[in-house]
């Protein structure tokens, strides 16, 4: 009866704790099917859409010039900024 139910709940909670945040997110995406994949893709796109300009402008503020993507040193600095 009631003695079994809490033990089952504890097992589920322990299993969830063992998953990393990324694993939890990917599990939710899989469970949501196509809608989950589309939602995840849109969030990633939005993240990069906003983060790349922030990194580039941050680089400009720190160095005083726009990054030269053909210069290896500038690429390393930009990578460090991100």
């Amino acid at each position: 009866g009631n003695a079994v139910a809490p033990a089952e709940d504890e097992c589920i909670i322990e299993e969830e704790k063992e998953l990393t945040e990324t694993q939890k997110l990917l599990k939710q995406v899989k469970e949501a099917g196509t809608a989950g994949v589309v939602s995840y893709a849109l969030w990633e796109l939005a993240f990069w859409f906003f983060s790349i300009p922030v990194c580039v402008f941050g680089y400009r503020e720190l160095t005083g010039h726009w990054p030269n993507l053909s210069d290896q040193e500038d690429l390393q600095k930009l990578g460090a900024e991100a």
Side-chain angles (χ1 to χ4, degrees):
N2 289 341
V4 176
E8 289 175 4
D9 289 344
E10 289 175 11
C11 290
I12 292 170
I13 291 170
E14 288 177 18
E15 180 180 321
E16 288 179 2
K17 286 181 183 177
E18 293 176 9
L19 296 176
T20 66
E21 291 300 317
T22 302
Q23 289 171 330
K24 287 180 187 177
L25 177 62
L26 291 177
K27 183 179 174 187
Q28 288 175 337
V29 168
K30 287 179 186 176
E31 289 172 355
T34 303
V37 172
V38 170
S39 175
Y40 180 76
L42 289 174
W43 274 111
E44 282 294 312
L45 185 63
F47 170 80
W48 289 110
F49 181 77
F50 288 106
S51 67
I52 290 174
V54 168
C55 287
V56 170
F57 281 106
Y59 177 91
R60 183 179 181 275
E61 291 299 313
L62 289 174
T63 64
H65 67 277
W66 294 105
N68 179 356
L69 300 180
S70 62
D71 181 6
Q72 190 63 33
E73 187 178 337
D74 277 5
L75 288 175
Q76 289 174 349
K77 289 179 187 175
L78 188 59
E81 174 67 25

